Amino acid sequence: MVRTLRDPTTAEVAQLDAWWRANNYLTVGQIYLRGNPLLREPLAPEHIKPRLLGHWGTSPGLSLIYAHVSRLIRQTGQRAIYLAGPGHGGPALVAAGYLEGTYSEIYPAVSQDEAGMLRLFRQFSSPGGIPSHVSVTTPGSIHEGGELGYVLVHAFGAVLDNPDLLAVAVVGDGEAETGPLEGSWKGVSFLNPAHDGAVLPILHLNGAKIAGPTVLARKDPAEVRALLTGHGYDVLEVEGADLPGMHHRFAAVLAQAWGRIRAIQHAARTGGWDGERPRWPLIVLRSPKGWTGPDQVDGVQVTGTWRSHQVPLSGVRDNPAHLALLESWLRSYRPEELFDSTGAPQAVVRDLAPAGDLRMSASPHANGGLLTRDLDLPNFRDYAVDVARPAQLRAESTRRLGELMRDVYRRNPDRFRLFCPDETNSNRLGAVFEASDRAFMERVTETDVSVGRDGRVMEVLSEHNCHGWLEGYTLSGRHGVFATYEAFAMVSASQTVQHGKWLQEAHRLPWRARVPSLNVLLTSTAWRNDHNGFSHQGPGLIQVVLTQRGDVARVYLPPDANCLLSVADHCLRSRSYINLIVIDKQPQLQWLTMEQAITHCARGAGIWAWAGTDDGTRDPDIVLACAGDVVTMETVAAAQILRERLPALRVRVVNVVDLMTLIRLKDHPHGMDPTLFTALFTDTVDVVFAFHGYPGAIHQLVHGRPDADRFRVRGFVEEGTTTTPFDMTVRNRASRYHLVLDAINNARRMPRGASELKAWCEQKLAEHAAYVVEHLEDMPEVRDWSLGDWAEQG
């Protein structure tokens, strides 16, 4: 049966209003007060914080919505989470968790009494306290409010494969102007009511941003309605500031929205659905910015304007009139009716909260590690490439990963998804379509392939959507992979940063359970986007992730398919990391057997003795190091040239898979201890390091190692165009010939024949430059290069 939400009685409206007043009181107290939390004496300057920080304007609307959704939960048992798009309404959500009792359960020092209320106020936006926005410290939150634009993508991600969950996503009208938010309305085109939960967007139009009007608030309501209807929503509207009228109207609209959600789900789950995309409800709430705050200050209108956005009364400590106005504002909520003599919430306030983990601030869906089930993973060894000898066989490494993910889909039909903005097939992951179609709720035509309403592969041409969906998916307890072209991972790089900050702060909170990792796979890399040109050539996300703290950041550069499979298995089993995996999709030489790959990846780096001329009895003359698939090929090719043309030079080849092993152990948990680092790189021999990304990254990573200046790094230096694959390495001075020249120039001794070899390399570079212009492809000796029988003999 489809449950209904009845109209509130007079007593229930009074309770809603009492809870709302209590929440508003606590919100204002957090912004202003450092003493006298219950106004037991007249307000004085010493009761006011020295620095007034926070955002009042959006908070009353957030509190109103929270109160009414809490009533819905109490009456229906609906499991729900609350995502605050206007994230700087932090004090409202902190206050809500406090009134529900969750805050005191998690932070016992913030007790539900006068002393606890004072601590609640003092900690807000204060040293040693909590941020001003809805953050990881806020119970019930999976949404970082510090950067606008992602509330809907997080909400949609949270409800995928989560059929009993309702995500209430409040979209601020300033936030609605951002590109990511504007692109995220289309989430309804991928939501399946049979096996997914529901998102209820509430567009809160209060009219203003920090210093001016918002676009949607100034549009004709008919235009706003047409815009949202065009996105596929059933638009419901409520407007006003009158009380108790607004409580009645909002309760009615919320009941209407919830009833439609339940009807859609009931039909989809009982055989009454025709398969067409449902028209999900959306609420447009128009209420004044800074509602219930000071109407005017110093004769200037505040409520309903941008002036109420942050701190409406800024001179309270020094201006007696402002202090009196603040006291009047606080007393207008009648705190004596809301809190008892000890400072605890009265029953009329306390009893609005649902029971136990139905409270939105206590929902396990907002602390996803509590719900996480480990993936049932196949044995990654079963997907191995058979490597008889290094650099003989070429294979598309990501294709093997696609086969692994296909079977992860089959074994985990309710807790694994691939999110890919730029063609799953293009990235050679198309095997997943043997297990699942692409999710799509819009019209499907006979020309479509692997597209359907029951699909669970998430493909939309938006890095923001895919990244954000995966964040919501993992933070609510499920697992996945975000795969994209390397250069365009920078489109959503700020999301990667914000998610890393979330995980970093969560590590410090014992009550936050560890969640599945955010796994990012970058393919179509800079070195093999020669055909697309400079716009597609950029390894910047590596640099972004390297700036994250060591307790969350991981960067892997597997050189071949077997290493990729080993790394992927590790990442899919991990918790609370950002795992960045970079490998190209094009056919590439394969280096290691599966057992060799497992050992190599476990260590993170190792000597490839078969590739060099170093017998290990003494230090080499030069170390050739590499991290990344293409530069690994160039490094081994350079070592072969040196072996054949300068056999007296002792060359050691070191390959790095786990980039973080280069960091000192005291600076990163994956860092190498000094003994192992010396065993690989020595303490004195120069190192020519060929790197997939920007050269500065390696210098950053080896800082503090013995004589770090001896590392000479070749990598991507923003030299690109539409050209041939090998020419990309030449343009960036990372080709095999450049590496040979670097080895000669930096070796500790100069064997006979070095000058001739330098001249030969320069000649080869000249031949290459002429050949590619004439033949439009690389020289055969480069294009078809392999080690032949040399590696076996070595």
Side-chain angles (χ1 to χ4, degrees):
M1 293 293 293
V2 178
R3 292 173 289 183
T4 59
L5 182 65
R6 57 176 171 77
D7 293 336
T9 65
T10 300
E12 286 174 328
V13 168
Q15 182 180 48
L16 285 164
D17 192 67
W19 191 95
W20 185 51
R21 285 186 286 119
N23 213 71
N24 287 336
Y25 180 85
L26 295 175
T27 298
V28 179
Q30 288 177 79
I31 295 172
Y32 283 98
L33 299 185
R34 64 182 295 180
N36 194 15
L38 287 167
L39 301 183
R40 296 190 189 278
E41 57 183 294
L43 205 57
E46 59 267 24
H47 300 145
I48 307 301
K49 293 180 177 181
R51 298 176 70 228
L52 300 179
L53 302 168
H55 293 71
W56 163 247
T58 189
S59 293
L62 292 174
S63 299
L64 180 86
I65 296 166
Y66 202 103
H68 282 262
V69 176
S70 293
R71 174 179 172 267
L72 181 152
I73 296 168
R74 274 184 61 87
Q75 285 201 9
T76 66
Q78 172 68 59
R79 292 196 171 273
I81 57 174
Y82 189 106
L83 294 91
H88 279 293
L93 273 294
V94 169
Y98 180 76
L99 291 178
E100 289 187 321
T102 312
Y103 210 92
S104 299
E105 293 166 11
I106 292 174
Y107 306 109
V110 188
S111 49
Q112 286 194 316
D113 54 24
E114 185 172 5
M117 187 185 296
L118 180 60
R119 185 178 288 268
L120 181 78
F121 291 173
R122 289 176 63 89
Q123 72 175 10
F124 179 76
S125 277
S126 298
I130 63 172
S132 68
H133 48 271
V134 183
S135 70
V136 67
T137 61
T138 308
S141 176
I142 65 165
H143 177 72
E144 168 62 54
E147 182 177 3
L148 300 180
Y150 309 123
V151 66
L152 278 180
V153 290
H154 290 156
F156 280 110
V159 303
L160 294 174
D161 299 321
N162 213 346
D164 298 327
L165 183 65
L166 171 65
V168 178
V170 184
V171 180
D173 49 357
E175 179 182 34
E177 297 175 5
T178 65
L181 194 286
E182 184 60 43
S184 63
W185 293 113
K186 64 177 65 70
V188 288
S189 297
F190 302 88
L191 202 64
N192 186 305
H195 55 67
D196 298 328
V199 174
L200 176 58
I202 300 179
L203 176 59
H204 184 203
L205 296 181
N206 59 31
K209 303 186 290 284
I210 192 170
T214 59
V215 173
L216 292 184
R218 292 291 176 90
K219 281 185 176 290
D220 187 301
E223 287 189 353
V224 176
R225 190 160 50 249
L227 172 69
L228 299 173
T229 300
H231 280 304
Y233 291 92
D234 181 7
V235 181
L236 308 173
E237 299 174 81
V238 58
E239 180 177 6
D242 57 304
L243 297 168
M246 274 295 283
H247 286 301
H248 285 285
R249 293 196 295 279
F250 190 80
V253 165
L254 182 61
Q256 188 178 0
W258 187 77
R260 292 184 185 181
I261 288 170
R262 293 297 297 155
I264 290 168
Q265 293 177 334
H266 180 76
R269 297 170 190 180
T270 59
W273 180 33
D274 61 7
E276 294 295 316
R277 173 183 53 78
R279 189 166 283 276
W280 296 93
L282 175 152
I283 296 174
V284 177
L285 168 62
R286 293 181 175 88
S287 66
K289 195 173 187 74
W291 189 13
T292 74
D295 185 57
Q296 294 186 351
V297 177
D298 298 331
V300 177
Q301 186 66 33
V302 172
T303 296
T305 77
W306 55 268
R307 296 182 180 89
S308 66
H309 181 81
Q310 291 178 297
V311 180
L313 297 164
S314 57
V316 181
R317 284 167 64 95
D318 303 318
N319 187 323
H322 283 200
L323 182 65
L325 195 53
L326 173 61
E327 181 167 1
S328 175
W329 177 15
L330 285 164
R331 292 192 185 279
S332 72
Y333 297 120
R334 306 192 298 279
E336 67 280 0
E337 298 177 7
L338 308 174
F339 305 98
D340 66 19
S341 59
T342 71
Q346 296 277 16
V348 66
V349 174
R350 190 174 61 249
D351 292 348
L352 182 70
D357 66 8
L358 284 177
R359 295 171 294 175
M360 288 186 284
S361 59
S363 173
H365 294 278
N367 196 1
L370 299 175
L371 301 173
T372 300
R373 291 178 291 156
D374 290 337
L375 285 173
D376 176 12
L377 292 174
N379 188 339
F380 67 93
R381 295 167 180 82
D382 295 341
Y383 306 87
V385 173
D386 185 12
V387 178
R389 295 193 303 271
Q392 296 288 295
L393 172 70
R394 279 183 166 80
E396 296 168 325
S397 297
T398 56
R399 195 172 296 280
R400 294 301 175 105
L401 178 60
E403 294 168 5
L404 172 71
M405 287 199 291
R406 171 198 63 203
D407 295 335
V408 176
Y409 260 103
R410 288 171 173 165
R411 296 163 76 126
N412 302 272
D414 60 350
R415 58 187 186 276
F416 176 80
R417 292 205 186 202
L418 170 65
F419 302 81
C420 186
D422 206 341
E423 266 294 338
T424 301
N425 277 326
S426 173
N427 291 322
R428 311 299 192 265
L429 303 172
V432 295
F433 296 128
E434 298 171 29
S436 173
D437 287 343
R438 298 170 177 88
F440 201 58
M441 296 302 301
E442 299 294 348
R443 182 171 54 89
V444 176
T445 71
E446 61 183 15
T447 61
D448 293 325
V449 177
S450 299
V451 176
R453 71 184 193 193
D454 294 319
R456 295 177 56 256
V457 177
M458 307 303 293
E459 242 188 40
V460 62
L461 195 53
S462 165
E463 287 80 7
H464 291 122
N465 273 356
C466 289
H467 197 299
W469 286 345
L470 178 57
E471 288 179 52
Y473 200 64
T474 58
L475 289 171
S476 54
R478 279 72 48 72
H479 309 255
V481 175
F482 167 47
T484 186
Y485 283 17
E486 181 181 49
F488 303 115
M490 294 303 292
V491 172
S492 56
S494 64
Q495 289 179 274
T496 309
V497 171
Q498 291 296 337
H499 190 75
K501 291 179 184 293
W502 178 281
L503 294 176
Q504 288 169 15
E505 290 304 297
H507 274 304
R508 298 177 174 179
L509 300 172
W511 60 273
R512 281 281 183 187
R514 292 172 67 81
V515 297
S517 294
L518 187 84
N519 300 307
V520 181
L521 172 68
L522 302 187
T523 64
S524 301
T525 63
W527 301 99
R528 284 296 178 264
N529 249 305
D530 44 90
H531 58 294
N532 277 322
F534 197 32
S535 65
H536 285 54
Q537 296 160 356
L541 194 69
I542 292 175
Q543 208 81 17
V544 170
V545 174
L546 287 180
T547 63
Q548 304 290 297
R549 287 206 301 259
D551 51 1
V552 303
R554 306 286 185 269
V555 179
Y556 300 98
L557 294 159
D560 65 4
N562 290 337
C563 289
L564 173 61
L565 291 166
S566 179
V567 165
D569 180 79
H570 169 76
C571 293
L572 290 172
R573 295 178 189 277
S574 68
R575 299 286 181 94
S576 292
Y577 297 142
I578 292 175
N579 293 315
L580 178 61
I581 307 171
V582 186
I583 188 169
D584 195 63
K585 66 186 183 183
Q586 301 292 351
Q588 54 189 196
L589 289 168
Q590 303 297 305
W591 305 99
L592 303 179
T593 68
M594 178 55 79
E595 293 310 311
Q596 289 171 337
I598 292 169
T599 301
H600 185 49
C601 293
R603 291 174 179 167
I607 297 172
W608 283 4
W610 49 265
T613 54
D614 166 37
D615 61 9
T617 59
R618 51 182 171 161
D619 282 349
D621 296 316
I622 194 74
V623 175
L624 298 183
C626 49
D629 47 11
V630 169
V631 291
T632 292
M633 178 177 67
E634 293 306 303
T635 298
V636 176
Q640 183 190 35
I641 292 170
L642 289 168
R643 180 188 185 100
E644 293 175 349
R645 295 180 174 272
L646 212 61
L649 190 71
R650 294 190 301 275
V651 178
R652 176 180 296 173
V653 176
V654 175
N655 181 262
V656 178
V657 178
D658 180 352
L659 205 57
M660 301 321 205
T661 59
L662 296 175
I663 307 175
R664 295 177 299 181
L665 182 58
K666 67 179 183 179
D667 297 326
H668 194 285
H670 282 202
M672 277 187 226
D673 66 63
T675 301
L676 179 57
F677 190 88
T678 297
L680 295 182
F681 297 103
T682 80
D683 287 340
T684 59
V685 175
D686 279 23
V687 179
V688 176
F689 203 122
F691 178 50
H692 176 91
Y694 295 112
I698 299 300
H699 293 296
Q700 171 187 338
L701 293 168
V702 301
H703 175 76
R705 294 294 191 178
D707 191 14
D709 286 346
R710 63 198 167 95
F711 281 77
R712 310 285 196 273
V713 186
R714 294 293 186 178
F716 186 76
V717 290
E718 291 294 341
E719 290 293 340
T721 185
T722 302
T723 185
T724 67
F726 183 66
D727 193 53
M728 279 297 296
T729 68
V730 172
R731 286 173 176 271
N732 288 277
R733 299 186 292 281
S735 75
R736 60 198 65 184
Y737 304 122
H738 289 95
L739 299 179
V740 170
L741 291 169
D742 281 347
I744 294 172
N745 290 335
N746 293 284
R748 64 197 315 178
R749 63 190 183 92
M750 185 73 70
R752 181 177 299 175
S755 297
E756 291 81 0
L757 180 55
K758 288 176 67 174
W760 181 84
C761 288
E762 290 164 355
Q763 176 190 341
K764 282 296 180 184
L765 289 170
E767 288 179 14
H768 157 78
Y771 190 94
V772 294
V773 172
E774 174 67 22
H775 298 279
L776 310 181
E777 61 179 347
D778 288 319
M779 296 185 295
E781 64 194 80
V782 171
R783 189 175 67 243
D784 303 324
W785 177 85
S786 69
L787 282 180
D789 294 332
W790 172 69
E792 183 179 43
Q793 297 165 358

